[in-house]
Amino acid sequence: MPDVLDATPYDALLLLSFGGPEGPDDVVPFLENVTRGRGIPKERLKEVGQHYFLFGGVSPINDQNRALLDALRADFAEHGLELPVYWGNRNWAPYLTDTLREMVRDGRRRVLVLATSAYASYSGCRQYRENLADALATLEREGLEPPKIDKLRHYFNHPGFIEPMVDGLVRSIEDLPEEVRDGAHIAFTTHSIPTSAADTSGPVEDQGDGGAYVRQHLDVAGVIAGAVRERTGVDRPWQLVYQSRSGAPHIPWLEPDICDHLEERHAAGVPAVVMAPIGFVSDHMEVLYDLDTEATAKAAELGLPVRRSATVGADPRFAAAVRDLILERAAAESGRSVAPCALGALGPSHNVCPVGCCPARTPRPAAAGADSPYA
């Protein structure tokens, strides 16, 4: 991290997230936002929303983001980084466009964006950039001058993201019954996406056969597994598996699914499994339902002991990592030398998404990249 906590040329940080309902009446309107343009009937959305209704119609993601905002502001204040932090969502209040409008009226002209998605993919990166472009276009139509937007690089392999997951995994292993602890396998989980989207994820040179999306997850899983081996003295088998598939059955998505994996591990005689959701920043609905509810029920049906390790959430080390990434990018933009921090074999990700990175099926303008109309 640079010695001087100078975020110049940036004058604000925007936490950009997915959003989620905060009550039963919010569920269907929220899902309408998520699926806009797909022609999905309201009755079908009510069926999909049952996952939310099981939890009172409340997704934990907004409260998770509020906790992260508090952690970021506390870290910045403690270390003398004078950078205001705003929050906007893609699909629920506070909406991205409203937040950017507020930032412009507050005089913010150069904004860094932290997306709550650590890896490269269309849905995890470019779609956020498309939403930024849409919001900036709206501000222009309203006669407001849009700020210049840059996005922080992918942070999947930053120590401040990885180290809390190592601690969480060790705690979950230690929580297993002693007689199955050493024989436990690790299932590193992330969101399944269409194989076509995986294959085209990342810069063009990283695409093909899972692309950057799979490659980055495998690298992080290997780093975490190695750290857990050093901490516990046991070399546990591990595999990258997937969850939360939502696409049409005839379209290939990344596999194996976590529930299928639990069945296979049980049939192979594995005594226990620890599920480690490395693909998610916080314990939002897909973690609470797909792992804590559905996968845990499958394990109980099989008689297979399972634990689920914690996501990073608002861990102070993650807040410190965000501060590090801000100062790293500010130094690079100001022409100062900087040594980006990254674990694993892949090294630090690019600062600016290149042309052809994580392309959409239907091309749309995207901000904060080499092809941005808002350079």
Side-chain angles (χ1 to χ4, degrees):
M1 186 179 67
D3 293 332
V4 178
L5 302 192
D6 182 7
T8 305
Y10 298 105
D11 57 17
L13 176 71
L14 169 62
L15 176 65
L16 176 56
S17 194
F18 193 82
E22 300 199 79
D25 292 341
D26 296 344
V27 173
V28 171
F30 163 73
L31 292 173
E32 287 175 332
N33 288 342
V34 174
T35 61
R36 183 176 288 114
R38 301 183 200 173
I40 299 177
K42 182 170 288 190
E43 290 306 312
R44 174 58 182 151
L45 294 179
K46 289 179 181 178
E47 294 176 18
V48 173
Q50 291 306 311
H51 295 180
Y52 292 95
F53 292 128
L54 287 173
F55 296 88
V58 178
S59 167
I61 191 169
N62 279 359
D63 278 344
Q64 293 276 336
N65 283 323
R66 292 183 182 103
L68 179 56
L69 286 168
D70 289 344
L72 291 171
R73 288 165 178 157
D75 178 272
F76 293 179
E78 179 183 352
H79 292 87
L81 177 60
E82 296 182 1
L83 193 71
V85 186
Y86 294 77
W87 171 34
N89 289 325
R90 288 169 49 185
N91 298 298
W92 201 249
Y95 287 104
L96 170 59
T97 302
D98 295 337
T99 300
L100 281 176
R101 189 183 295 113
E102 175 189 0
M103 296 176 80
V104 168
R105 290 172 176 165
D106 286 348
R108 311 305 175 193
R109 302 304 311 145
R110 192 77 187 271
V111 177
L112 263 176
V113 172
L114 167 68
T116 55
S117 177
Y119 301 85
S121 70
Y122 170 73
S123 57
C125 184
R126 186 175 180 90
Q127 193 169 18
Y128 282 94
R129 293 175 49 223
E130 291 175 351
N131 295 143
L132 283 165
D134 290 343
L136 294 173
T138 297
L139 297 186
E140 281 192 326
R141 289 194 296 270
E142 294 174 354
L144 298 173
E145 183 181 353
K148 178 173 172 52
I149 300 283
D150 290 327
K151 180 176 174 291
L152 288 172
R153 67 175 171 90
H154 300 302
Y155 47 84
F156 61 92
N157 55 3
H158 194 287
F161 186 66
I162 288 180
E163 289 167 1
M165 293 191 288
V166 173
D167 288 350
L169 186 48
V170 170
R171 286 194 299 269
S172 293
I173 291 170
E174 292 174 345
D175 190 51
L176 284 167
E178 185 175 359
E179 63 272 17
V180 300
R181 196 175 298 156
D182 287 351
H185 284 211
I186 304 170
F188 291 106
T189 77
T190 191
H191 204 301
S192 183
I193 61 176
T195 57
S196 59
D199 293 346
T200 57
S201 59
V204 173
E205 61 270 20
D206 292 341
Q207 295 174 8
D209 194 20
Y213 185 75
V214 172
R215 192 171 300 116
Q216 290 170 358
H217 280 88
L218 287 173
D219 195 54
V220 168
V223 170
I224 294 174
V228 170
R229 180 178 62 248
E230 291 180 6
R231 290 266 295 272
T232 65
V234 178
D235 189 8
R236 292 177 174 81
W238 62 268
Q239 186 172 340
L240 178 64
V241 302
Y242 302 93
Q243 62 175 91
S244 313
R245 175 184 172 135
S246 59
H250 68 280
I251 298 176
W253 283 51
L254 293 173
E255 295 178 336
D257 176 77
I258 178 60
C259 289
D260 294 338
H261 178 70
L262 293 176
E263 289 185 337
E264 189 274 333
R265 291 294 80 201
H266 178 257
V270 171
V273 172
V274 177
M275 302 179 290
I278 61 171
F280 306 92
V281 172
S282 65
D283 288 7
H284 53 59
M285 184 57 67
E286 286 166 323
V287 175
L288 291 189
Y289 182 80
D290 296 326
L291 295 184
D292 293 355
T293 305
E294 190 173 49
T296 300
K298 171 58 70 174
E301 173 190 319
L302 297 169
L304 177 68
V306 294
R307 297 293 186 271
R308 194 270 288 175
S309 66
T311 53
V312 172
D315 189 288
R317 289 167 292 184
F318 182 46
V322 174
R323 168 169 42 89
D324 183 36
L325 291 166
I326 291 168
L327 297 174
E328 171 197 306
R329 183 63 182 273
E333 290 293 312
S334 300
R336 303 191 300 271
S337 61
V338 61
C341 191
L343 300 177
L346 298 181
S349 185
H350 48 262
N351 274 334
V352 179
C353 293
V355 175
C357 191
C358 303
R361 285 181 296 177
T362 303
R364 291 179 56 203
D371 55 355
S372 171
Y374 297 97

